[in-house]
Amino acid sequence: RIQTEAQQQVQVISLTAVITEALPYFWVAGMIAVAFVLTGSNLHFWWKLRQNRKTLDIPGVPLNVYLTDYVATPCLFGLFRPAIYLTEDVLADPQALNHVLAHEHTHRRHGDHLWAALRGICLCIHWYNPLVWIAATVSRSDGELACDEAAIAALGEENRLDYGRTLIGLTCAKGVSPLLTATTMTGSKHSIKERITLIAKKPKFSLIALIALILAVTVAAGCSFTGPSIAPSNSKVLEFPGTQWGMTLEQVME
């Protein structure tokens, strides 16, 4: 009996040693796989943008701006020479265009395209850790919150609610993968609600204004998260029923 127990202990120790020796190879294999997906998805996105873009000349914008039908919502993409990519729907709406340009230019000033690349590297190294994936998602969300406030500060507080309406109008598009380094105004259901709530509360608006934005984001959430998983490339900027861009709060409530 003693001999049998000793043999079992030896087998357990041997198995543990084999697993311990195999773990580094398993980690490296996973890291290579995630790095391959990270690199491949961004190269594919870059190639598609190059094949489907048209240069735009917009005065006062220090970045290269392109029109493309490949993306569903505007984005900032590029590691060393980031550029803004717009959709036809946003380009046709002067107010939405102004908000989007301010948002994406703020991403550039904050270096969010570099932070996105750094998040991707962290995910490659710690691919096995779910907490790192959660941290990457939270980091992207925090970047959007900071970008919203900075963009509103640049646009002026009087444009805060209009900016919130533009944000709601763009939530009908699918969010991006954490491995894609493009920055967009879209996000998860929770992050969009959080951003709209903060936009409505800072500075303190009337209760009517807060209720109007909460109702609007509820309507947009039904469009964004219960529809098809892939948004059509010609998706329209959402307008609330019976309203138009640029209307005052009193006109919207009426």
Side-chain angles (χ1 to χ4, degrees):
R1 179 179 178 181
I2 295 176
Q3 184 176 6
T4 302
E5 292 179 354
Q7 290 176 350
Q8 292 177 349
Q9 291 179 357
V10 170
Q11 292 177 354
V12 170
I13 294 174
S14 300
L15 180 60
T16 302
V18 170
I19 294 176
T20 303
E21 292 179 358
L23 280 178
Y25 297 99
F26 184 64
W27 168 65
V28 171
M31 184 171 59
I32 293 175
V34 176
F36 179 80
V37 175
L38 170 69
T39 305
S41 60
N42 281 278
L43 286 178
H44 179 263
F45 191 73
W46 170 79
W47 176 253
K48 285 294 185 181
L49 287 178
R50 287 187 62 88
Q51 297 298 313
N52 297 274
R53 71 182 187 183
K54 177 183 178 182
T55 304
L56 297 176
D57 184 14
I58 301 180
V61 181
L63 299 174
N64 292 329
V65 182
Y66 301 98
L67 176 66
T68 178
D69 59 359
Y70 179 66
V71 296
T73 59
C75 67
L76 177 76
F77 183 74
L79 185 60
F80 301 107
R81 292 189 300 174
I84 299 175
Y85 293 88
L86 302 175
T87 61
E88 292 183 0
D89 299 326
V90 170
L91 187 62
D93 189 322
Q95 186 179 69
L97 175 61
N98 189 34
H99 295 164
V100 168
L101 290 176
H103 183 92
E104 300 304 338
H105 183 240
T106 303
H107 272 309
R108 173 62 179 84
R109 289 193 297 106
H110 289 180
D112 288 336
H113 59 297
L114 300 177
W115 286 111
L118 182 60
R119 284 194 298 266
I121 295 174
C122 291
L123 291 175
C124 289
I125 298 174
H126 300 279
W127 59 269
Y128 56 88
N129 191 342
L131 295 179
V132 176
W133 289 86
I134 295 175
T137 302
V138 173
S139 173
R140 179 187 289 273
S141 178
D142 287 346
E144 292 297 333
L145 291 174
C147 186
D148 286 339
E149 282 304 313
I152 291 173
L155 291 167
E157 287 295 333
E158 66 276 7
N159 294 305
R160 178 175 288 268
L161 287 181
D162 285 333
Y163 179 90
R165 293 188 183 100
T166 297
L167 178 61
I168 294 172
L170 295 175
T171 58
C172 282
K174 185 181 178 182
V176 297
S177 166
L179 295 177
L180 192 63
T181 58
T183 64
T184 68
M185 292 182 73
T186 58
S188 66
K189 179 179 180 180
H190 174 75
S191 66
I192 291 296
K193 284 188 175 181
E194 181 182 14
R195 290 165 66 185
I196 292 298
T197 302
L198 290 177
I199 288 173
K201 286 183 177 180
K202 276 184 158 183
K204 293 182 179 179
F205 283 103
S206 65
L207 179 61
I208 295 178
L210 179 59
I211 293 175
L213 278 180
I214 292 177
L215 289 176
V217 75
T218 301
V219 173
C223 172
S224 305
F225 307 104
T226 60
S229 60
I230 300 177
S233 60
N234 62 345
S235 58
K236 298 292 184 182
V237 175
L238 178 66
E239 291 185 356
F240 307 144
T243 67
Q244 296 178 352
W245 290 111
M247 293 179 66
T248 65
L249 178 60
E250 290 74 14
Q251 292 173 326
V252 173
M253 294 306 298
E254 183 180 356

